[in-house]
Amino acid sequence: MEIKTVGIACDHAGYPLKQFVVDYLEKKGYPFKDFGTYSDMSCDYPDFAHPLAASIESGEVYPGIAICGSGEGMCITLNKHQGVRAGLAWNKDIAGLIRQHNDANVICLPARFIDNKTAEGILDAFFKATFEGGRHERRVKKIPAEAKA
């Protein structure tokens, strides 16, 4: 994967894991843009997912990392945007397949269900993987919603 600037966003439940991920990105030398949240105070994940998604769509950041308690809230919100393909990963094998088969541009992490070591393995696999194209490209092209006449 060619990394431009990694976008990262989380809610309060994902904040502790986001702090670990920020350290991970710094150690790897990956530039990043932090869309918040910036504390563990209760907040609403869409407030951070939508700006990340808009930045992915505009090309300002690529790829993205989104973190919330289950990972699902962020994933659901991000996938409302036509230019985003967000996938939930709880292990490194899933993370690799999300890139290889679905050309995901955002990985969602379930902070309440993985530890830092698992998160590191997931991110390593996601960043290492490349989209396989072929039959998968045909499928990915069918994802965007088409306007109904």
Side-chain angles (χ1 to χ4, degrees):
M1 169 186 300
E2 182 181 332
I3 296 172
K4 183 176 180 178
T5 296
V6 178
I8 186 167
C10 71
D11 71 355
H12 58 282
Y15 180 72
L17 182 58
K18 185 185 88 168
Q19 294 306 103
F20 171 80
V21 171
V22 164
D23 288 343
Y24 165 92
L25 295 171
E26 289 173 343
K27 286 177 187 169
K28 295 282 187 177
Y30 297 146
F32 65 91
K33 181 173 180 179
D34 188 343
F35 291 88
T37 191
Y38 305 104
S39 78
D40 60 2
M41 297 292 293
S42 183
C43 62
D44 301 329
Y45 56 83
D47 294 341
F48 307 97
H50 288 303
L52 171 59
S55 190
I56 291 282
E57 288 180 309
S58 75
E60 178 186 9
V61 300
Y62 177 86
I65 301 168
I67 310 166
C68 67
S70 69
E72 291 290 358
M74 282 287 200
C75 203
I76 290 167
T77 305
L78 290 159
N79 281 317
K80 295 293 183 186
H81 293 257
Q82 288 297 309
V84 174
R85 289 176 307 282
L88 175 65
W90 55 93
N91 67 44
K92 64 183 181 179
D93 295 327
I94 296 294
L97 288 173
I98 288 168
R99 282 284 310 136
Q100 294 165 344
H101 292 189
N102 307 115
D103 198 19
N105 51 17
V106 181
I107 190 157
C108 299
L109 302 176
R112 291 186 175 138
F113 299 93
I114 61 172
D115 59 20
N116 291 350
K117 183 177 179 182
T118 302
E120 184 173 357
I122 289 168
L123 293 172
D124 285 344
F126 183 70
F127 290 142
K128 179 181 173 187
T130 57
F131 182 50
E132 292 178 358
R135 70 185 189 278
H136 303 295
E137 186 169 1
R138 180 183 74 241
R139 296 167 184 158
V140 168
K141 286 181 179 179
K142 292 180 179 182
I143 293 173
E146 295 181 11
K148 303 286 182 187

